[in-house]
Amino acid sequence: MSALPYWRLSSYYFFHFAFIGAFSPYFGLYLKSLSFSAWDIGLVMSQMQLMRMFAPYLWGALADRQPRRTPIIRLAAAISLVSFVAFFFTTSLGGLLAAMAMLAFFWSAALPLVETQTFDHLRDDPARYSRIRVWGSIGFIVAVVGVGALLESWPIGNLLWMLLATLLGIMACALLVPEAKSHGTASQPAPPLAAILRQTRVRALLAACFAMSAAHGAYYVFYSIHLAGNGYSTSLVGGLWSLGVLAEIGVFMVMAPLLRRFSLRAILLVCFAAAALRFVMIGWGVDSLAVIVVAQLLHALTFGAHHAAAIAAINRWFPGRAQGRGQALYSSLSFGAGGLFGGLLSGWTWDALGAGITFSLGSLFALAGFALVWVGVRETREEDCSAAGAKEVAAAVPSPLPPAES
């Protein structure tokens, strides 16, 4: 463990999530400055979710056939950087769609491979993962606050240079990430995936996770635009995004004892109820800073606790060598398909129906997820509160945004 490349791994997480902190809150504002419609903005931004539906599978399959993962990580970082440069030379919808698709395809490929490298370096001490991954949260907060402050006095077009700086940081860190000796689970049994998916609780959970990501669609595409349109400064917008991340980190730190005390079903039901309330508050309570602050604090439940509980359930219900496929399904159906559907729907309804209705649709998705968990997710108290489940969560946090990535 003395040879653990702590700072080289931590630096990669810092810049990866710094890119998200600069991109997610502010790139929609950049597109709006180019006079694109809400549908066009939603279409461009949704390329991230679209590529997250299948890119990690393709890159993961390639990595499984290679003796070393590091060259693939470096290749993905390099092509992501080159792809982003295209944003400096085009403002057409077609050009932006092509550039975003290329960027998303390669950028989304690297982090799952870095995650694997990290756990291979940690070997028998995976609990130390959170000490490395926390730098991702720090990077996100530094970027979202710093970029928001700079955009108070700088034109929005300068956002491209700030994003380029984070991608250069990712490229530099990719060159420094060391190869780790694999210690996978090849000797463990691989249960038939079809048999696992026939379980009602598994299908209900995956469908509910799709609904939760769809509920967040308007939030990830239009939240900053919504606030800016109602008089919030870019610094305040950045501060509110950071508040959500801080709340999320806080709940991650207490998830292990929560999972020992409460059932997964109970935690998930609270999360979906909180999401239904949160998006109504955002949609209709934007005139009150206090309401928006409370809504951001609910991010601790709507993403933080929900993601941790879902990860614990997937790890438990997809045993042995099926865990990788379970995580891939979870990521693809929720952050990929659910996020894509929610983002595109919000792009259509934003201009046609307004912000209040658009965010209210997010609440309806959350209520649908609540119903799916209520009816379909059933476990015994003993299984649900196992110490193993709490340990799984303790080793897998924190992470600042929907881990496409996870």
Side-chain angles (χ1 to χ4, degrees), residues 9 12-13 15-17 51-52 55-60 62-63 69-81 102-118 133 167 170-171 173-175 177 403-406:
L9 293 170
Y12 187 95
Y13 286 106
F15 281 105
H16 181 91
F17 287 104
M51 294 303 161
R52 285 160 69 175
Y57 283 101
L58 298 178
W59 286 100
L62 176 62
R69 305 183 197 95
T70 303
I72 301 175
I73 294 171
R74 293 168 181 169
L75 175 66
I79 300 181
S80 298
L81 180 61
M102 183 69 72
L103 169 67
F105 181 80
F106 288 96
W107 180 81
S108 64
L111 186 63
L113 300 179
V114 174
E115 296 272 56
T116 304
Q117 291 277 56
T118 300
R133 188 64 179 264
L167 288 171
I170 291 173
M171 182 71 250
C173 293
L175 294 173
V177 169
E405 307 85 67
S406 279

Side-chain angles (χ1 to χ4, degrees), residues 191-331:
L193 191 62
I196 298 174
L197 293 176
R198 280 196 292 268
Q199 299 178 44
T200 299
R201 64 183 182 179
V202 173
R203 297 196 302 271
L205 176 67
L206 291 174
C209 290
F210 172 94
M212 182 64 96
S213 288
H216 283 75
Y219 174 74
Y220 286 114
V221 177
F222 291 110
Y223 181 67
S224 295
I225 293 173
H226 181 49
L227 295 181
N230 284 274
Y232 289 71
S233 67
T234 54
S235 293
L236 186 53
V237 171
L240 287 167
W241 277 89
S242 297
L243 180 64
V245 174
L246 290 172
E248 170 192 317
I249 294 171
V251 80
F252 274 141
M253 295 305 180
V254 299
M255 275 307 296
L258 287 178
L259 278 170
R260 285 193 290 266
R261 182 171 181 180
F262 300 102
S263 68
L264 282 175
R265 182 174 183 268
I267 293 173
L268 288 168
L269 287 173
V270 170
C271 293
F272 280 100
L277 175 62
R278 182 190 184 195
F279 295 120
V280 168
M281 293 172 70
I282 292 174
W284 300 101
V286 69
D287 291 334
S288 170
L289 178 59
V291 170
I292 294 299
V293 167
V294 172
Q296 277 302 87
L297 291 174
L298 288 176
H299 191 70
L301 296 174
T302 68
F303 174 68
H306 168 264
H307 173 62
I311 286 289
I314 294 295
N315 282 343
R316 202 171 304 161
W317 299 345
F318 287 79
R321 288 169 58 197
Q323 283 191 2
R325 288 171 291 169
Q327 293 291 352
L329 275 173
Y330 166 66
S331 179

Side-chain angles (χ1 to χ4, degrees), residues 81-148:
L81 180 61
V82 172
S83 300
F84 185 81
V85 172
F87 286 109
F88 288 91
F89 299 99
T90 182
T91 57
S92 68
L93 178 61
L96 290 172
L97 279 172
M100 184 66 78
M102 183 69 72
L103 169 67
F105 181 80
F106 288 96
W107 180 81
S108 64
L111 186 63
L113 300 179
V114 174
E115 296 272 56
T116 304
Q117 291 277 56
T118 300
F119 276 106
D120 283 345
H121 278 293
L122 290 170
R123 287 179 165 78
D124 296 324
D125 193 13
R128 292 185 66 182
Y129 169 76
S130 62
R131 303 179 194 175
I132 296 173
R133 188 64 179 264
V134 73
W135 284 98
S137 299
I138 295 171
F140 180 91
I141 292 171
V142 168
V144 77
V145 173
V147 171

Side-chain angles (χ1 to χ4, degrees), residues 24 41-42 45 49 211-227 241 278-279 282-283 338-350 354-363 365:
S24 291
I41 293 172
M45 297 291 281
Q49 286 74 29
M212 182 64 96
S213 288
H216 283 75
Y219 174 74
Y220 286 114
V221 177
F222 291 110
Y223 181 67
S224 295
I225 293 173
H226 181 49
L227 295 181
W241 277 89
R278 182 190 184 195
F279 295 120
I282 292 174
L340 176 64
F341 182 78
L344 289 177
L345 179 63
S346 65
W348 177 71
T349 60
W350 191 262
I357 297 297
T358 299
F359 279 107
S360 295
L361 290 175
S363 294
F365 279 119

